[in-house]
Amino acid sequence: KAGVTQTPRYLIKTRGQQVTLSCSPISGHRSVSWYQQTPGQGLQFLFEYFSETQRNKGNFPGRFSGRQFSNSRSEMNVSTLELGDSALYLCASKGTGVNTEAFFGQGTRLTVV
Amino acid sequence: GEDVEQSLFLSVREGDSSVINCTYTDSSSTYLYWYKQEPGAGLQLLTYIFSNMDMKQDQRLTVLLNKKDKHLSLRIADTQTGDSAIYFCALSGTYKYIFGTGTRLKVLA
């Protein structure tokens, strides 16, 4: 069973540009969540998608957005990049059931210069 | 709001036991998790415990939960150099996980 796949693994962008990150969840999982990891703030929740609908959103500016497709693959977009957006972006896939533990991808390392 | 704290660093000798601690303020989580993160990698789920349990053993890993003191710990028996990583505790919230600050475990050969 394939795990959670995130692409690309590494990205370097310039301030003001926009970026799109992709996440393919474990087959059969319909929930995809995104987290931002930085040394200063740790792991922060961005948003969660389930069946193509954003169910929950963390405390991030509107520059951060996402979507989910009918095959459960998800993308997140960050517009007008700032230096502070440099981080490891992690995607988590969850199934349904009593204990829905989250399985994480390897992450996308975004560097804004 | 939720607050989950961990000590930043732990150093142990190979073959010794490691104990990583986690304290939290919100006790409504149904499940509590331990994740491992190696350099340049994502989060690997190690184990979890249901909130009505006190202890769970999984091979070299033992999880202890003290709900009264809101304290969670992960014990790694016979620690190996391959266990060197950052360990995060995580609490299951309504729709998201609340992660601890992470403990960097260094295993000395």
Side-chain angles (χ1 to χ4, degrees):
Chain A
K1 197 173 186 179
V4 180
T5 304
Q6 290 187 247
T7 56
R9 289 293 312 278
Y10 303 93
L11 267 177
I12 301 176
K13 289 287 188 178
T14 305
R15 268 182 304 176
Q17 287 186 312
Q18 74 164 14
V19 67
T20 299
L21 313 181
S22 178
C23 172
S24 293
I26 291 170
S27 178
H29 286 189
R30 291 160 63 188
S31 168
V32 174
S33 298
W34 290 88
Y35 289 80
Q36 181 196 63
Q37 185 179 23
T38 59
Q41 298 298 317
L43 282 148
Q44 302 281 312
F45 171 78
L46 279 156
F47 26 66
E48 184 215 7
Y49 286 86
F50 182 87
S51 293
E52 303 179 65
T53 301
Q54 185 183 88
R55 287 206 294 196
N56 299 287
K57 191 176 193 307
N59 189 25
F60 278 81
R63 299 185 298 106
F64 291 81
S65 63
R67 59 178 175 168
Q68 187 179 34
F69 301 94
S70 58
N71 62 358
S72 293
R73 188 177 72 85
S74 177
E75 288 181 347
M76 70 163 279
N77 183 277
V78 188
S79 62
T80 319
L81 284 165
E82 300 176 0
L83 295 179
D85 297 333
S86 295
L88 180 66
Y89 290 88
L90 292 163
C91 161
S93 159
K94 290 173 68 174
T96 54
V98 177
N99 177 17
T100 53
E101 64 264 32
F103 295 92
F104 285 81
Q106 294 292 298
T108 294
R109 170 76 62 188
L110 172 64
T111 302
V112 182
V113 297
Chain B
E2 311 96 340
D3 193 22
V4 184
E5 295 289 334
Q6 297 178 240
S7 51
L8 287 179
F9 299 101
L10 176 65
S11 179
V12 300
R13 296 206 174 274
E14 192 175 19
D16 287 350
S17 291
S18 308
V19 179
I20 301 170
N21 296 301
C22 172
T23 58
Y24 55 92
T25 54
D26 183 355
S27 58
S28 63
S29 297
T30 305
Y31 290 92
L32 300 94
Y33 303 88
W34 283 102
Y35 284 87
K36 175 183 180 183
Q37 186 175 40
E38 297 184 72
L43 298 175
Q44 175 194 350
L45 176 65
L46 287 176
T47 186
Y48 64 90
I49 188 167
F50 187 46
S51 58
N52 70 354
M53 297 170 65
D54 298 325
M55 185 183 85
K56 179 180 179 182
Q57 187 145 6
D58 188 355
Q59 300 182 343
R60 291 191 299 123
L61 306 178
T62 302
V63 180
L64 294 178
L65 175 60
N66 183 327
K67 289 190 71 175
K68 175 176 170 290
D69 294 339
K70 298 182 183 177
H71 183 267
L72 178 73
S73 68
L74 173 70
R75 178 177 180 271
I76 306 173
D78 188 24
T79 312
Q80 302 298 307
T81 53
D83 295 324
S84 292
I86 301 176
Y87 291 80
F88 293 91
C89 62
L91 277 57
S92 59
T94 307
Y95 55 85
K96 64 180 180 181
Y97 282 14
I98 310 300
F99 285 90
T101 45
T103 298
R104 185 180 295 274
L105 174 64
K106 183 174 181 179
V107 182
L108 306 172

